Amino acid sequence: MPDRPDPTRVVADADVLVADLLVGEAAREALDRLRGHSWTTLVASDALLDDTEAVVATLANADLAAAHREKLAAWTERVDHPDGDHPGLASAYRSGAAHLLSFDPSLTSADAGAAIQSHVSLSVRTPDAFARLFDPETLWPSVGDGEYPGRDRDPRA
Amino acid sequence: MSWDDLFERAGAYDVTVADVTDATESLRDDA
């Protein structure tokens, strides 16, 4: 795994991926930042996609869950981790992602953040906090030349 | 299928963030 986290690599835990689809609001706003910039990478393990599909099937239906998984599989970069690991945390840790998005207070609290930071340099944020703080224009000089070109991809395509 | 198409299909369901977090927690607790 990489020595330093990459600020353009992001993991969204299953609750955020499901909320993006079924709720919208902050989760969709956060993930639109990534959908709209081709030089960012959303990372997910198969276990993370399994959890996401299962929750969508529970709250909506299996057909929508399968279509959503297919879309996510095409968008995300796959990462492996041991069975039994927390899919969100392990996907972030194993892929060198700098950000993990979650609604789970056991991950996003200050105490949890300190405990996680003692092991790995990873920022765990709620989607609304990520949408406020993740600034593609600030990151652009580390990935491209010239002025920030703005969004380079339709986030709803 | 585009994201817009998926979001349109998903709009038929009245789901809150609390529903999502509860369902995710329940799934992982049962695993």
Side-chain angles (χ1 to χ4, degrees):
Chain A
M1 63 202 75
D3 292 334
R4 297 177 59 191
D6 182 340
T8 69
R9 296 170 70 79
V10 180
V11 172
D13 204 357
D15 52 1
V16 176
L17 294 175
V18 175
D20 172 47
L21 176 69
L22 295 178
V23 182
E25 301 174 355
R28 194 168 299 167
E29 183 181 350
L31 293 187
D32 273 349
R33 299 288 182 99
L34 307 178
R35 279 188 284 259
H37 294 89
S38 65
W39 44 270
T40 64
T41 303
L42 186 68
V43 182
S45 65
D46 283 332
L48 181 50
L49 297 184
D50 289 345
D51 285 0
T52 303
E53 184 175 6
V55 175
V56 174
T58 297
L59 295 174
N61 68 62
D63 286 346
L64 180 60
H68 183 230
R69 185 191 180 118
E70 184 178 341
K71 190 71 173 172
L72 286 174
W75 177 25
T76 54
E77 179 179 296
R78 201 70 58 253
V79 64
D80 294 324
H81 58 73
D83 292 343
D85 282 5
H86 184 288
L89 274 175
S91 293
Y93 173 65
R94 292 273 173 173
S95 68
H99 305 281
L100 170 62
L101 311 187
S102 175
F103 286 109
D104 185 348
S106 72
L107 296 175
T108 59
S109 70
D111 287 347
I116 291 168
Q117 287 280 344
S118 70
H119 296 286
V120 60
S121 182
L122 174 67
S123 170
V124 186
R125 298 186 194 283
T126 58
D128 63 319
F130 178 81
R132 282 197 310 273
L133 297 169
F134 183 79
D135 182 3
E137 186 169 1
T138 302
L139 282 176
W140 173 251
S142 67
V143 297
D145 297 324
E147 288 190 14
Y148 168 62
R151 204 172 68 188
D152 67 346
R153 193 165 60 183
D154 179 357
R156 301 300 170 84
Chain B
M1 181 178 293
S2 71
W3 281 107
D4 264 344
D5 291 336
L6 278 171
F7 295 150
E8 186 175 341
R9 287 176 61 182
Y13 299 89
D14 184 17
V15 177
T16 67
V17 170
D19 296 331
V20 173
T21 56
D22 288 348
T24 305
E25 184 177 358
S26 176
L27 174 81
R28 288 182 171 166
D29 285 348
D30 291 344

